[in-house]
Amino acid sequence: MTGVPPPAPADVDSWAVRLAYTARVAVAAGVTTALWQAFAVTHGIWLTVSAIVVIQPRRGQAWAKGASRTIGTVIGAAVATVCAAVMPANALTVGLAVAVTILICWGSGRLQDPM
């Protein structure tokens, strides 16, 4: 030990971090919009919305949040598929599928912000 503390992460309030974050969000919004328009993805705006929501000021946070949300989405799709196969299509089924998905995601204790 040298007695020198490790360097502190970049301050989110610094202009450099803000500018880098702004650039990443702008590029992600542009790229995802171009993709959903080029491939005529139905409701493709959600690609752009998801990119904007997932990107964080620090890259490590964005990767963790993106991974958690991807896993949460897969779990939600699986739960919804099972519910749709065995229950009628109505508001109660949708509410139940959402509740079960949230409980599974939180219950795992491993997902950081999976919603």
Side-chain angles (χ1 to χ4, degrees):
M1 289 186 47
T2 63
V4 177
D11 185 8
V12 177
D13 290 329
S14 76
W15 278 103
V17 171
R18 288 181 183 185
L19 187 58
Y21 170 69
T22 301
R24 285 195 313 274
V25 172
V27 168
V31 168
T32 54
T33 299
L35 285 171
W36 66 262
Q37 289 179 344
F39 292 104
V41 176
T42 305
H43 305 295
I45 188 67
W46 291 107
L47 290 171
T48 303
V49 170
S50 295
I52 292 169
V53 168
V54 168
I55 293 175
Q56 299 293 303
R58 293 192 179 95
R59 287 186 189 158
Q61 293 171 328
W63 281 108
K65 192 170 189 175
S68 290
R69 287 189 180 232
T70 300
I71 293 166
T73 298
V74 170
I75 291 169
V79 169
T81 300
V82 170
C83 287
V86 299
M87 300 175 75
N90 60 36
L92 182 61
T93 301
V94 172
L96 179 66
V98 170
V100 169
T101 298
I102 291 170
L103 290 174
I104 290 171
C105 290
W106 273 346
S108 74
R110 301 183 126 184
L111 298 179
Q112 174 190 350
D113 189 24
M115 302 315 143

